[in-house]
Amino acid sequence: MSTHPEVLWAQRSSELDDSKNVIYLTVSLPNIDESSLKYDLTPTSIKFEADARPSNAETKHYEFSLDLYDDIIPELSKHKLTSRSFTAVLRKKNKKLEYWPRLTKERLKTPFIKTDFEKWVDEDEQDTAPDDDFGMGEGLGNMDFSKMLGGDTDEAATAGASIPEDEAESDDDDDDDDGPPPLEDA
């Protein structure tokens, strides 16, 4: 008997840039047996089948098959298997600014398909989202490790920073520092 694995998805859309017109699909399943993996991608569907042993449990057979909401280009899509998951970046065929309303063609409740909020970007914010292939490309790209570590590593740039006069004034004349008002007798 087979079980559905957890499938996470997110997307980007662009009328102009093919590389930003994609679906991010993650099959969240650790310890997939690579020899048992069967992945079939067509322009209208995706099929996944594999044996895996998550969390030191016994090996189980996992599979799913989905008819996609719209067409994709299998030749330009990528996939990657890691010890924690199977990830695919599916290239959408039709260049549209609007997102797909759902992953599947039919409007069915599929409890094993969930939104991947780590990769999700709202439609109106996708132009400001960083370009990231989520481990599908070569090298580290344009990662700025100083920004990832949360700060400016140039002490000289912050040493001469000035505080505007209205913020530099003393806090002594603030009336809202007196604490809460007294309680009333009941």
Side-chain angles (χ1 to χ4, degrees), residues 30-86:
N31 303 322
I32 294 173
D33 179 10
E34 190 171 355
S35 65
S36 71
L37 178 63
K38 295 177 185 171
Y39 169 69
D40 184 31
L41 186 62
T42 69
T44 58
S45 68
I46 182 172
K47 292 180 185 177
F48 174 90
E49 189 174 340
D51 293 331
R53 205 172 119 201
S55 303
N56 296 326
E58 65 181 64
T59 301
K60 287 185 180 180
H61 185 72
Y62 294 86
E63 68 179 281
F64 69 88
S65 178
L66 300 173
D67 290 326
L68 298 169
Y69 178 79
D70 204 353
D71 290 351
I72 59 164
I73 307 170
E75 301 80 31
L76 298 177
S77 299
K78 306 174 194 177
H79 65 275
K80 181 179 181 179
L81 177 64
T82 67
S83 64
R84 310 254 329 131
S85 64
F86 176 83

Side-chain angles (χ1 to χ4, degrees), residues 144-171:
D144 184 353
F145 288 104
S146 65
K147 287 182 183 175
M148 289 174 58
L149 296 174
D152 188 1
T153 57
D154 185 9
E155 291 180 342
T158 58
S162 61
I163 300 173
E165 272 188 49
D166 58 332
E167 291 181 25
E169 292 180 17
S170 171
D171 289 336

